[in-house]
Every structure is written in structure tokens, then in C-alpha cells.
Amino acid sequence: MAQANWFLWNVGACLKDVANGMTMKAHKMANLRHPRPPLRHQKFRGYKNVFPAVDHHTFVAETASVCGNINVAAGASIFYNSTWRNYHTEKGASLGANSTILERCSILGRCHIGANVVIGPGTTLDCCEVHDGVVIGAGCTIALGAVLETGCILAPGTVVDSDVRVPAGELW
């Protein structure tokens, strides 16, 4: 009988020590700061009380930024570290259905991008018009006032000067 009491006492003491240790760990974990601070980046920002209109069926990455008067249609995607700023409060910019803007793109101003367009990584667009079905390679630069007609393809690194019209179906 004495051995049973001694055994139960030791088991109880071990359980008590384990419970105390778990309680201390829980308090310590509750008081720790997050290992990574919460992301303060805002995907969508307004400019002079004009906010982007983004459809619910779009993908906008956590690190992408859409700012100003921009309309994004259903099925469109804006990937990581891409930036689109339109500071014109009266005239909006638009991204068509099922279009994709890949990583590190920079789009400035009233760019109208049609449906089923693919814009490669690192591309820069400035106040231009891109019609439906256009494929833009990586690292391209499209200047102010340029027009890319339906179905044209831009090879990686292409520079399209201002006010240039790329005809439909051509490879540049």
C-alpha cells in the first residue's frame, strides 16, 4: 500500500510539473510579438476620394498596388510587386477580362488594356492603349500615346516610342 501511495504521489507531482511548464510556455507565447510584423501594405488606394473598382473574381497579389481611378474586370490578374497608378479623377483606366499583368510591372496613367492580354514581367506602360489579345514580352517599355492593336506580339525588351501604332497581328 505504501508503494502505491508513493507511485501515485510521484505521478501526480510529474503531471503538476508538466502542467505548470505548459502554462508558463503559454503565457510566454501569448506575450511574444509576432515573428513577422503584420503587412501594412494596402492593395487598393484611393486618390482624391476616387477608388479602384475591382471585380470579386480577380486576383490581386498581396504586394501589388492599384491606386486611383482604375476599373478591373472579372478574371483579371495582377501579380506580385506590380504597380498601377492613375491620378486622373475624371478619366479612368481599365483592365479587360481575363488579362494578366505579371510581376514587377509599372503602369502609369490612363492605360486601357483589353481582354485576354498578357503583360510580361518588368514591363512599363505609360498612358497607352492595348487592344484585345495582345502579348507583351518581359521588360518592354511602351511610351505615352502608343496603341497596340488586336493580336500583336511584342518580343521581350521591345521599346515602343510615343504616339506609335503597332498594327494588328504583327510581331515587334
Side-chain angles (χ1 to χ4, degrees), residues 29-44:
M29 288 174 68
N31 292 333
L32 281 177
R33 294 183 61 172
H34 289 285
R36 198 172 58 190
L39 189 64
R40 294 187 181 178
H41 173 77
Q42 294 178 344
K43 285 196 237 183
F44 309 111

Side-chain angles (χ1 to χ4, degrees), residues 19-92:
N20 283 339
M22 290 176 69
T23 304
M24 288 171 44
K25 290 276 187 191
H27 284 294
K28 196 176 207 181
M29 288 174 68
N31 292 333
L32 281 177
R33 294 183 61 172
H34 289 285
R36 198 172 58 190
L39 189 64
R40 294 187 181 178
H41 173 77
Q42 294 178 344
K43 285 196 237 183
F44 309 111
R45 292 185 182 195
Y47 178 75
K48 293 187 178 177
N49 291 328
V50 178
F51 290 89
V54 179
D55 189 85
H56 295 291
H57 300 291
T58 61
F59 170 74
V60 179
E62 289 297 321
T63 57
S65 178
V66 180
C67 177
N69 191 2
I70 299 169
N71 183 17
V72 181
S77 307
I78 301 175
F79 281 84
Y80 300 92
N81 297 324
S82 293
T83 304
W84 193 346
R85 298 180 306 268
N86 181 18
Y87 297 129
H88 300 279
T89 56
E90 296 172 2
K91 299 177 183 176

Side-chain angles (χ1 to χ4, degrees), residues 1-170:
M1 187 68 167
Q3 285 183 341
N5 285 340
W6 177 82
F7 177 75
L8 289 175
W9 184 84
N10 279 335
V11 169
C14 287
L15 287 175
K16 182 179 173 187
D17 288 344
V18 168
N20 283 339
M22 290 176 69
T23 304
M24 288 171 44
K25 290 276 187 191
H27 284 294
K28 196 176 207 181
M29 288 174 68
N31 292 333
L32 281 177
R33 294 183 61 172
H34 289 285
R36 198 172 58 190
L39 189 64
R40 294 187 181 178
H41 173 77
Q42 294 178 344
K43 285 196 237 183
F44 309 111
R45 292 185 182 195
Y47 178 75
K48 293 187 178 177
N49 291 328
V50 178
F51 290 89
V54 179
D55 189 85
H56 295 291
H57 300 291
T58 61
F59 170 74
V60 179
E62 289 297 321
T63 57
S65 178
V66 180
C67 177
N69 191 2
I70 299 169
N71 183 17
V72 181
S77 307
I78 301 175
F79 281 84
Y80 300 92
N81 297 324
S82 293
T83 304
W84 193 346
R85 298 180 306 268
N86 181 18
Y87 297 129
H88 300 279
T89 56
E90 296 172 2
K91 299 177 183 176
S94 63
L95 178 63
N98 302 320
S99 293
T100 302
I101 298 173
L102 293 175
E103 295 88 0
R104 301 180 328 275
C105 287
S106 176
I107 303 172
L108 180 63
R110 296 179 323 220
C111 289
H112 295 286
I113 300 171
N116 303 315
V117 173
V118 177
I119 299 175
T123 299
T124 303
L125 285 81
D126 184 13
C127 294
C128 60
E129 186 175 338
V130 180
H131 293 183
D132 297 340
V134 174
V135 177
I136 300 173
C140 292
T141 302
I142 294 122
L144 179 75
V147 177
L148 306 178
E149 292 183 355
T150 304
C152 71
I153 299 172
L154 297 183
T158 302
V159 176
V160 179
D161 290 331
S162 58
D163 298 323
V164 170
R165 187 177 214 61
V166 177
E170 281 198 8

